[in-house]
Amino acid sequence: MKIVTRSAEQTIALGEKLGALLGGGEIIAYTGDLGAGKTTMTRGISIGMGLGDEVTSPTFALVNEYHGAGKSLYHFDMYRITSSEDLETTGFYDYMDGNSVIAAEWSENIAEALETLGQDILQIDIKRVDDDTREINISWKMKGDEGLETLGD
Ligand SMILES: Nc1ncnc2c1ncn2[C@@H]1O[C@H](COP(=O)(O)OP(=O)(O)O)[C@@H](O)[C@H]1O
Ligand SMILES: [Mg+2]
């Protein structure tokens, strides 16, 4: 699904709609350059999940947590994660449960780990077209998809 937004507010509104659909157990895997709008989209997702709009970049903390009634959002920045050992030290695997959504910026850095997880993955790629315009590509990879199955046992 390809969507073009023409302001940060539109990207937040799109994130809100997506966030309202998430039940927990999903992983959002972002790709897109610095300033593309990954954190902005996550702000919308947090709002849609009922977790508020106070979402900031997890660059320094590595992971920011947002908790609400029975739901949590864990927002990771994988920019500096370059090995599976690095990933483990972030606690990434401990955050996954059926009531939580994980949103990872720079997910290309953990692509291998994501493939072996067998979780539902929402892939979101954001491209900057100009100052206010973004092209957002969303694809949904269900657990049990052929691609994931072939990597299994
Ligand atoms: N259509 C748009 N969608 C998202 N962000 C936009 C858009 N137009 C302008 N922006 C601006 O681009 C910047 C995106 O920053 P941010 O979400 O932190 O990016 P990233 O997390 O990908 O590095 C913000 O300053 C935001 O206001
Ligand atoms: Mg960001």
Side-chain angles (χ1 to χ4, degrees):
M1 177 163 61
K2 183 170 116 181
I3 298 149
V4 173
T5 63
R6 305 200 184 279
S7 66
E9 289 69 29
Q10 282 187 2
T11 297
I12 291 170
L14 174 64
E16 261 186 80
K17 293 205 168 91
L18 267 174
L21 297 173
L22 300 174
E26 297 90 358
I27 296 177
I28 296 164
Y30 286 113
T31 50
D33 291 338
L34 188 70
K38 305 177 292 294
T39 296
T40 301
M41 170 76 99
T42 307
R43 182 169 303 133
I45 288 170
S46 175
I47 297 168
M49 289 178 70
L51 303 177
D53 65 352
E54 303 280 300
V55 170
T56 54
S57 175
T59 301
F60 298 105
L62 220 59
V63 56
N64 287 337
E65 307 185 8
Y66 306 96
H67 301 286
K71 275 189 189 176
S72 297
L73 172 64
Y74 298 102
H75 183 198
F76 282 84
D77 186 327
M78 300 301 185
Y79 190 73
R80 287 183 184 77
I81 304 302
T82 52
S83 70
S84 52
E85 290 77 29
D86 281 358
L87 182 58
E88 249 176 77
T89 59
T90 66
F92 180 76
Y93 295 103
D94 307 324
Y95 287 98
M96 281 187 294
D97 68 58
N99 300 317
S100 303
V101 173
I102 289 178
E105 302 196 15
W106 303 102
S107 72
E108 52 268 62
N109 286 357
I110 61 161
E112 252 177 67
L114 290 179
E115 275 176 1
T116 54
L117 279 178
Q119 294 262 125
D120 290 350
I121 293 176
L122 196 59
Q123 282 171 324
I124 303 181
D125 179 72
I126 310 179
K127 282 191 181 67
R128 183 185 181 283
V129 177
D130 61 32
D131 277 359
D132 298 320
T133 311
R134 302 291 185 273
E135 190 184 299
I136 302 174
N137 276 283
I138 301 178
S139 56
W140 183 234
K141 198 170 185 187
M142 302 283 280
K143 57 184 160 199
D145 263 8
E146 225 173 280
L148 291 173
E149 263 170 15
T150 52
L151 285 163
D153 36 64

